[in-house]
Amino acid sequence: MEFYGDHMPPVQQKNGYFGNWGGAFIPEVLHQTFCELRAVYAAARQDPDFWHEYKTIMATYSCRPTPLTHAANLSALFAGARIFIKREDLNHTGAHKANNVMGQGLLVKRMGKKRVIAETGAGQHGVATATMAAKFGLACTIYMGEKDVARQRPNVFWMEKLGATVVPVTTGSRSLKDAINEAFRDWVSNVDTTHYVLGTACGPHPFPEMVAWFQSIIGQEARAQILTQFGRLPSRVYACVGGGSNAMGIFQGFMEDDVELVGVEAGGHGLASGRHAARLASQDASPGVAQGYKTMFLQNSDGQMQDTHSVAAGLDYVGVSPILTDLWEKGRVRFESATDAEVLEALDLTMKKEGIIPALESAHAFVQAFKEAPGMSTDEALIINMSGRGDKDIFTIAHAFNDPSWKQFIIDKGAAYAAGK
Amino acid sequence: MPLGNNLRQAMVQKNILLMTHIVLGYPSFAVNRQVIAAMVKNGVDLIEMQIPFSEPMADGPVIVKANQDALAAGATVADCLDFAAEMTKKHAIPFLFMTYYNIIFKYGEDAFFKKAKELGIQGFIVPDLPPEEGENFYRLAKEYDIAAILIYAPTTTETRMAKLAATGTGFIYCVARLGVTGQATKFDQPVEDYLARCRKATNLPLAVGFGISSKGDVDYLRGKADIAVVGTATIKLVDSEGVQAVGPFIAGLRG
Ligand SMILES: Cc1ncc(COP(=O)(O)O)c(C=O)c1O
């Protein structure tokens, strides 16, 4: 298909299975809605006008194509591979999430639905969905775990200011997976009017494939950019993996190439601690079916999902894209993990050396790239997908750095508010 | 005797059957035991026992909380199976398992059917396993002669109803409205039209659930459906008034 550029079109499967993984384990109430969604999606994929409209809106509303930045200082520091950073942080709302929500927004317009709902972990996807809803004139409700509402208050503030209703989810572990359950519960009650804008390449078919399709714009650009700026393909591409959408986005640009693809999961307090969210990089996950799809889940032997941990709310999730699980099983993508402590170190270094502020999620990919760059030769290149920017997560990052003057500022501000000033 | 025949026989005597729902391990197996005894004593015709799951996507707040509390209190799948063995031995009415697919998937489909047969379980309700994903499961159901109860929703088309009727056995569970368990249903003309569509689509008995909580609801369903399903209402009742309230409540539903 010519309109995708000069390489293979993004992944697509007729029955919604990638190898052994995926499927659509949905309640009967949703059957009709999924039929409709699949039909609209299938038509859009065949339609060059749709992709053109999508690219245009991403260029005029979200700064696409995002640049590929040569990190000259970090490259010199590690004295190995030349390091390039794909700047998804420069999207509108500060993360790759914009790609997915604008794509689904265009589909919602085609379906004629008037309301969207979404889950959010870090709040990034919630904010992105709220902007899309505002732009397209849709009613919008965002489900967010109570725990995440507490740790991401600034994003809640923006969602509400953008006109969305934010519903704190108090069930289960009160984080991302519970917000997904709650969004499904809303959807079964309001199927006629509502589309569920799932935020990552997970969930029942067609979501994993559809979200990966919208995100493939990252890889298409990155491949063309590295050929222009470096003259050759990179040896390795790194991306953090929560649900897997930014990783699938950049990986699809290099799927057919002799390029090693590396997914980096949340190592939390370390794999041995059991307090992490590494599905594929640890030995702790097993095959399961939940939230409408089959993948490797962090669960106990009865099939009950376990609590996960990460400093990065966007990676703090029990499952992973079925497409990535398939690529992992086939050996096409290598999986690693980065601990919370390593993430803060990499974040600090990137800020000091390049003046770039990655999101905590994205910093996971930087950790692994920094570990491997010194061992690579100076005529090789690597790309890090910087899925989002960290400066808008100032509360979380300042807290993670345990910054004393920031804390004092909050204390003073709190005291002033308490005194009614 | 296969579940469908069983039910038809019971239906000759009563013009509407009563199915109740309990979440195993909530608030405890000891309370489950008392609640079930009270239900059976007051004429409940069949009982759906939910094996708790951490992600009960199709359930509403009351049942979600019951699932979580049961798990937090330490209920395991093995405990649920042991308890089921005790119930099927003690009470003569049919018992079904309701659970989400992951519980069965992790246990192993074959092993689960074998175990359920051994326990005398007569049917399964698995709300997140449509026929498309459950080929092996629905084949095993026929092989083991355990009813695989499928679900109709108001959004289900006629073609889809026919397909579900061909895969399902025992009875069809008609969800009375869009949404999750536990909210009230307004029983009005659209519900009546929907139930008429269900009736036309299958010869299997029809169970109607989601929001049934009073004698009025049950009376309304007489002649339109074969089984009234009471779920959230009894869970709430036990929460607020204790086990002793179950008997009179159940007796009053058809009384
Ligand atoms: C900046 C950023 N990166 C990565 C992720 C993880 O999601 P995914 O793996 O789908 O890219 C999130 C999720 O919220 C995010 O906000």
Side-chain angles (χ1 to χ4, degrees):
Chain A
M1 264 186 251
E2 227 179 304
F3 57 93
Y4 293 124
D6 60 354
H7 57 90
M8 287 292 290
V11 291
Q12 187 169 24
Q13 290 294 330
K14 270 216 164 47
N15 60 1
Y17 272 88
F18 293 85
N20 299 312
W21 313 98
F25 296 80
I26 50 171
E28 198 54 43
V29 190
L30 292 176
H31 179 83
Q32 262 325 100
T33 289
F34 270 85
C35 290
E36 184 194 1
L37 178 60
R38 282 178 205 137
V40 157
Y41 161 62
R45 262 196 94 133
Q46 299 302 319
D47 181 357
D49 289 344
F50 181 89
W51 193 252
H52 180 74
E53 188 185 2
Y54 172 66
K55 276 180 80 156
T56 306
I57 202 161
M58 293 317 290
T60 56
Y61 190 62
S62 188
C63 305
R64 297 216 76 94
T66 59
L68 183 71
T69 302
H70 177 213
N73 302 330
L74 286 169
S75 304
L77 178 72
F78 291 116
R82 224 188 283 194
I83 298 172
F84 288 86
I85 301 173
K86 178 62 173 163
R87 302 291 304 279
E88 289 305 296
D89 58 307
L90 295 176
N91 273 295
H92 180 42
T93 69
H96 69 295
K97 301 282 173 185
N99 305 330
N100 173 37
V101 300
M102 295 317 287
Q104 290 198 46
L106 292 176
L107 289 184
V108 171
K109 286 214 304 192
R110 286 191 169 198
M111 288 186 285
K113 290 192 167 173
K114 294 283 178 263
R115 177 175 178 261
V116 288
I117 56 173
E119 86 294 346
T120 195
Q124 220 76 270
H125 175 59
V127 172
T129 304
T131 57
M132 178 274 279
K135 183 169 171 59
F136 290 160
L138 307 168
C140 178
T141 299
I142 305 292
Y143 291 92
M144 187 169 187
E146 198 180 42
K147 228 164 72 181
D148 294 326
V149 169
R151 57 179 168 179
Q152 306 281 352
R153 174 50 64 177
N155 284 336
V156 176
F157 172 81
W158 286 125
M159 285 183 258
E160 290 178 342
K161 282 289 171 235
L162 288 159
T165 305
V166 180
V167 181
V169 175
T170 55
T171 52
S173 57
R174 297 174 293 124
S175 67
L176 183 57
K177 75 172 176 60
D178 311 284
I180 293 176
N181 290 335
E182 225 37 58
F184 271 112
R185 291 185 189 116
D186 180 313
W187 207 14
V188 299
S189 314
N190 301 293
V191 267
D192 305 339
T193 56
T194 300
H195 173 69
Y196 176 15
V197 185
L198 219 156
T200 188
C202 289
H205 175 64
F207 281 108
E209 179 185 305
M210 184 172 79
V211 175
W213 179 48
F214 293 131
Q215 295 293 1
S216 71
I217 196 165
I218 306 173
Q220 292 174 35
E221 289 174 7
R223 190 179 194 278
Q225 288 165 325
I226 194 83
L227 288 177
T228 309
Q229 291 173 229
F230 180 63
R232 269 177 296 126
L233 288 169
S235 303
R236 297 177 198 175
V237 174
Y238 298 84
C240 69
V241 180
S245 69
N246 88 85
M248 277 311 301
I250 194 155
F251 289 169
Q252 283 173 101
F254 304 93
M255 210 70 94
E256 306 298 316
D257 299 319
D258 184 20
V259 172
E260 190 175 17
L261 307 174
V262 186
V264 188
E265 296 182 305
H269 295 317
L271 297 190
S273 73
R275 295 192 26 87
H276 61 78
R279 292 73 33 116
L280 300 175
S282 78
Q283 303 293 317
D284 298 346
S286 61
V289 177
Q291 307 207 302
Y293 68 109
K294 184 186 284 185
T295 194
M296 295 289 282
F297 283 102
L298 289 165
Q299 57 182 335
N300 71 15
S301 57
D302 268 0
Q304 313 295 358
M305 297 301 141
Q306 278 168 337
D307 281 354
T308 51
H309 168 79
S310 171
V311 67
L315 305 188
D316 202 350
Y317 179 54
V318 287
V320 61
S321 177
I323 312 178
L324 284 172
T325 303
D326 181 46
L327 293 170
W328 162 76
E329 197 172 49
K330 292 181 171 140
R332 180 65 188 94
V333 177
R334 168 159 63 90
F335 277 83
E336 305 287 352
S337 67
T339 64
D340 291 352
E342 290 171 327
V343 161
L344 291 180
E345 249 177 76
L347 183 58
D348 196 47
L349 188 65
T350 307
M351 291 193 288
K352 299 270 161 42
K353 286 286 169 197
E354 297 291 344
I356 284 174
I357 312 172
L360 287 166
E361 287 81 7
S362 319
H364 286 70
F366 285 71
V367 168
Q368 193 59 32
F370 293 173
K371 282 184 193 168
E372 297 182 15
M376 295 166 70
S377 104
T378 48
D379 50 44
E380 287 180 277
L382 64 80
I383 301 179
I384 303 169
N385 196 31
M386 179 162 159
S387 55
R389 52 188 257 226
D391 52 338
K392 64 202 246 359
D393 289 338
I394 184 162
F395 283 82
T396 329
I397 294 181
H399 179 80
F401 277 117
N402 202 8
D403 186 83
S405 49
W406 174 260
K407 278 185 174 169
Q408 193 54 51
F409 164 70
I410 298 294
I411 291 166
D412 295 347
K413 202 78 190 157
Y417 280 132
K421 284 182 217 154
Chain B
M1 180 168 14
L3 185 64
N5 299 349
N6 221 325
L7 297 179
R8 283 206 177 79
Q9 213 168 59
M11 269 153 19
V12 176
Q13 291 143 11
K14 311 176 182 176
N15 62 11
I16 189 153
L17 304 185
L18 212 53
M19 175 163 103
T20 50
H21 176 128
I22 62 149
V23 177
L24 293 175
Y26 178 78
S28 67
F29 287 103
V31 170
N32 288 158
R33 193 174 283 119
Q34 292 172 289
V35 168
I36 289 174
M39 286 171 168
V40 175
K41 189 160 164 242
N42 287 280
V44 161
D45 300 284
L46 59 169
I47 294 179
E48 166 191 6
M49 298 188 291
Q50 179 166 5
I51 303 175
F53 179 46
S54 58
E55 318 303 316
M57 174 162 108
D59 281 300
V62 173
I63 294 183
V64 169
K65 179 177 170 294
N67 274 259
Q68 279 164 12
D69 290 0
L71 294 174
T76 63
V77 172
D79 294 338
C80 294
L81 298 176
D82 289 346
F83 182 81
E86 184 192 324
M87 290 305 106
T88 52
K89 209 168 289 154
K90 199 181 298 174
H91 303 292
I93 65 164
F95 284 91
L96 319 177
F97 274 147
M98 182 271 181
T99 195
Y100 289 83
Y101 181 57
N102 200 44
I103 298 295
I104 297 166
F105 177 76
K106 288 299 282 183
Y107 196 92
E109 287 187 340
D110 274 280
F112 198 83
F113 271 95
K114 195 154 169 278
K115 183 72 186 175
K117 193 77 195 173
E118 224 174 272
L119 299 176
I121 291 294
Q122 300 202 24
F124 288 153
I125 304 175
V126 189
D128 61 346
L129 192 67
E132 290 77 8
E133 297 293 354
E135 245 174 71
N136 189 51
F137 180 92
Y138 293 108
R139 187 186 56 73
L140 286 170
K142 293 203 166 127
E143 191 181 311
Y144 280 87
D145 197 17
I146 292 181
I149 290 122
L150 289 181
I151 295 169
Y152 285 179
T155 49
T156 312
T157 62
E158 260 79 290
T159 350
R160 181 75 181 163
M161 282 186 176
K163 179 178 171 131
L164 296 170
T167 310
T169 46
F171 59 89
I172 295 282
Y173 191 128
C174 305
V175 168
R177 52 157 171 75
L178 300 182
V180 290
T181 51
Q183 299 139 3
T185 296
K186 224 174 98 211
F187 290 102
D188 51 9
Q189 192 59 43
V191 176
E192 209 154 317
D193 297 344
Y194 158 61
L195 291 179
R197 281 205 299 128
C198 298
R199 185 65 91 194
K200 242 177 83 185
T202 178
N203 293 322
L204 289 167
L206 300 182
V208 177
F210 279 41
I212 293 174
S213 61
S214 68
K215 179 167 185 310
D217 295 340
V218 176
D219 284 343
Y220 170 88
L221 290 176
R222 276 179 217 274
K224 303 183 187 78
D226 308 299
I227 306 169
V229 187
V230 180
T232 304
T234 36
I235 297 179
K236 273 186 170 154
L237 189 68
V238 175
D239 281 351
S240 61
E241 292 176 38
V243 181
Q244 70 284 352
V246 173
F249 170 70
I250 296 290
L253 285 173
R254 270 185 307 200

